[in-house]
């Protein structure tokens, strides 16, 4: 039986596909949760979304949620923006 060899271009193209999927999956917006800015308790989204400035919540970006509280993120979205390579942060919410 003759052995079949993969051409280097096939291997390169396959690797490029994996790289593209990795870059696009990490380029999304960071998780955003509505929280009480003092206690860091998670609040319903309408507490941040009323548009009139009367809600008691503030958006908290990134981090994780445990026991109804958030930690490990920031109230400053720019501080937790995800990049392509080396992206981090936990998903979910």
């Amino acid at each position: 039986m003759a052995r079949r060899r993969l051409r280097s271009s096939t291997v390169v193209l396959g690797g490029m596909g994996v790289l593209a999927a990795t870059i696009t999956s990490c380029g999304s917006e960071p998780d955003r949760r509505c929280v009480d800015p003092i206690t860091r308790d998670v609040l319903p989204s309408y507490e941040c979304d009323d548009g009139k400035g009367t809600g008691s919540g503030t958006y908290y970006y990134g981090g994780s949620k445990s026991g109804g509280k958030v930690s490990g993120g920031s109230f400053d979205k720019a501080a937790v923006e995800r990049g392509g390579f080396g992206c981090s942060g936990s998903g979910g919410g």
Side-chain angles (χ1 to χ4, degrees), residues 9 14-15 19 22 24 28-29 38 49 60 65-66 68 72 77 83 86:
S9 61
L19 179 61
T22 301
T24 56
S28 62
E29 292 284 315
I38 297 169
D49 287 339
Y60 188 84
K65 180 177 87 170
S66 177
K77 180 179 178 182

Side-chain angles (χ1 to χ4, degrees), residues 16-89:
M16 293 297 282
V18 171
L19 179 61
T22 301
I23 290 172
T24 56
S25 68
C26 291
S28 62
E29 292 284 315
D31 290 339
R32 177 176 84 166
R33 297 175 179 90
C34 184
V35 302
D36 181 296
I38 297 169
T39 64
R40 295 195 180 189
D41 289 331
V42 177
L43 301 172
S45 61
Y46 64 81
E47 290 288 344
C48 289
D49 287 339
D50 77 356
K52 298 178 185 128
T54 59
S56 61
T58 303
Y59 283 116
Y60 188 84
Y61 299 94
S64 60
K65 180 177 87 170
S66 177
K69 292 187 180 283
V70 293
S71 64
S74 175
F75 289 105
D76 179 12
K77 180 179 178 182
V80 294
E81 290 269 353
R82 292 186 196 168
F85 293 103
C87 65
S88 63

